Amino acid sequence: MTDRGTSPELPPGLLEEYLAGMRAELATLAAIAERLAAASDDSEALEALRRATHKIHGSAGSYGFMEASRLAAGMEATAKDWVAWPGDPEVERGPITLWFVARLTEMLGLPAPRAPAAPAATTPPLPPVGSPPSPRPRATPPPKPAPPPKPQPSPSPAQPPSRPPTPAPPQRPQRRAATSPPAPSASPTRVPRPRTPSPPTPPTAPARPAPARPGSTDLPWVTPPSPAPTARPPARAPAPPVKPTTPQPTAEALRVPEVIYVEDDAALAELLEYGLRAHGYRFAAYRNGREALRELLALDVQGTHPLLLLDVDLPALDGYSILGALQRERPGVYRVVFTTVHGTEEEQLRGLEAGALDYLVKPMSLRVALEKIKRWVGR
């Protein structure tokens, strides 16, 4: 019975490629088992067994085979003991290795492997390292068409003149006040006639002003129009706070990889490459520790700080030695995250105390790894 996973994060065809690679790996393990059955203290075969189980431990769980990953973890610990004590005659290393191969074959659902005629004592040569993909050009949106010209409004007709004022009514002639007739000359023998009081003079109506010219607003019975309100400028909104502008990366900086990973497991390296490429990262990959250190020391990062996913167990040069050399030669240039199957508390503390940013334990979930990479890169 297999424990094949159905993880939706794997692209079509990648799981089949992993299983095809595992067929060749199982054939190599069967050849190692035959060598250990012939000579249990074969140091080259023991080291090859340790490295093979280490790879399966780190990659099988990432492809959904968790039981196979745990089985390989136990076999890796056993192989380490055999490497430390190669001359122990009481351990039947050949039959135990054959049992491991048969059990792993059953978990992966693969046919029983056949050992090659001339088994190799070491793992096959690693494929060449791929170069980082060039950054994807961003599509430039097409220019927007110019809006049609707006029709100009026709000139409005002249405003009609204001209504002529109503002509003032003709003035009535003033009535003169009645005067009494002249009194006759006085005579000593005649008594003067008493004067009849004259009626009171009616008040004279005030004269109306002369009619104003048409269009004038000085008429007393015409209400002058209220003056047009003076247009006030709209209140200005407060200016938004000026945000500090971040410097844009130069063209040379856009060619520097954002993520660099050093991983000798071909299956896990291919899984990481798929995830990084699908999310548009600029990346570079290396399989050998010594080659990776040489390239990292010579890389011009253009003021950036690439993320370095560094496997602890690497051929030729381990991850701790690479980190120590980078801290001496190029301090603060790379942000290092260790990746390894050794996820014990002591191992994680050792990596953090050595100067690593974080620790990524294998087998890793691609989805979780990409989410962490996004946070580490700063996207």
Side-chain angles (χ1 to χ4, degrees), residues 224-257:
S226 59
T230 304
R232 296 182 178 179
R236 295 183 178 179
V242 180
K243 296 182 179 180
T245 57
T246 56
Q248 297 297 329
T250 61
E252 291 77 8
L254 291 177
R255 288 193 289 267
V256 177

Side-chain angles (χ1 to χ4, degrees), residues 40 55 59 83 93 116 122 124 202 227 236 241 247 255 292 300 327 342 355-356:
S40 60
K55 290 182 179 180
S59 61
V83 170
R93 295 169 179 169
T122 58
R236 295 183 178 179
R255 288 193 289 267
D300 184 6
Q327 288 176 339
H342 309 297

Side-chain angles (χ1 to χ4, degrees), residues 114-352:
R114 293 183 179 179
T122 58
T123 55
L126 298 174
V129 178
S131 58
S134 59
R136 300 180 179 176
R138 297 185 178 178
T140 306
K144 297 183 180 178
K150 298 183 179 179
Q152 299 294 334
S154 58
S156 58
Q159 297 292 335
S162 60
R163 185 177 58 182
T166 307
Q171 295 183 354
R172 297 181 182 180
Q174 294 185 358
R175 183 181 300 175
R176 294 184 178 181
T179 57
S180 58
S185 58
S187 169
T189 59
R190 296 182 63 179
V191 178
R193 185 185 301 176
R195 295 182 179 180
T196 304
S198 61
T201 303
T204 305
R208 294 181 180 270
R213 295 189 306 270
S216 174
T217 57
D218 296 336
L219 301 179
W221 59 86
V222 177
T223 304
S226 59
T230 304
R232 296 182 178 179
R236 295 183 178 179
V242 180
K243 296 182 179 180
T245 57
T246 56
Q248 297 297 329
T250 61
E252 291 77 8
L254 291 177
R255 288 193 289 267
V256 177
E258 299 172 283
V259 182
I260 303 172
Y261 65 90
V262 187
E263 176 60 59
D264 64 325
D265 188 347
L268 187 55
E270 187 176 3
L271 184 63
L272 282 173
E273 178 181 355
Y274 161 75
L276 294 173
R277 193 182 299 277
H279 286 72
Y281 288 100
R282 305 185 306 272
F283 66 93
Y286 301 98
R287 302 286 179 83
N288 182 279
R290 196 173 302 279
E291 176 189 2
L293 179 60
R294 181 177 64 252
E295 297 295 331
L296 292 172
L297 292 176
L299 178 61
D300 184 6
V301 297
Q302 296 291 330
T304 63
H305 300 278
L307 176 67
L308 176 59
L309 302 180
L310 187 58
D311 189 8
V312 172
D313 299 301
L314 289 171
L317 196 65
D318 65 282
Y320 288 107
S321 300
I322 295 176
L323 177 58
L326 291 176
Q327 288 176 339
R328 290 189 304 269
E329 302 295 333
R330 306 191 69 181
V333 173
Y334 299 99
R335 293 172 294 164
V336 179
V337 173
F338 278 128
T339 62
T340 182
V341 296
H342 309 297
T344 61
E345 180 179 353
E346 292 77 10
E347 288 292 334
Q348 296 189 42
L349 287 176
R350 179 188 176 189
L352 296 176

Side-chain angles (χ1 to χ4, degrees), residues 15-77:
L15 181 60
E16 287 72 16
E17 293 181 8
Y18 172 73
L19 292 176
M22 285 303 301
R23 292 189 186 98
E25 194 72 30
L26 290 173
T28 301
L29 287 171
I32 293 174
E34 291 187 359
R35 290 184 57 174
L36 292 177
S40 60
D41 58 348
D42 189 337
S43 58
E44 292 183 356
L46 292 176
E47 181 61 27
L49 177 62
R50 187 197 68 81
R51 294 205 53 79
T53 52
H54 176 80
K55 290 182 179 180
I56 298 172
H57 178 195
S59 61
S62 301
Y63 283 85
F65 300 99
M66 298 305 299
E67 290 295 331
S69 176
R70 287 190 283 268
L71 176 66
M75 192 64 192
E76 180 187 3

Side-chain angles (χ1 to χ4, degrees), residues 100-123:
F100 168 70
V101 174
R103 188 75 180 93
L104 188 61
T105 302
E106 179 184 357
M107 289 181 174
L108 297 177
L110 297 175
R114 293 183 179 179
T122 58
T123 55

Side-chain angles (χ1 to χ4, degrees), residues 77-93:
T78 302
K80 286 182 178 180
D81 292 338
W82 292 353
V83 170
W85 303 92
D88 189 356
E90 298 181 0
V91 180
E92 298 180 353
R93 295 169 179 169

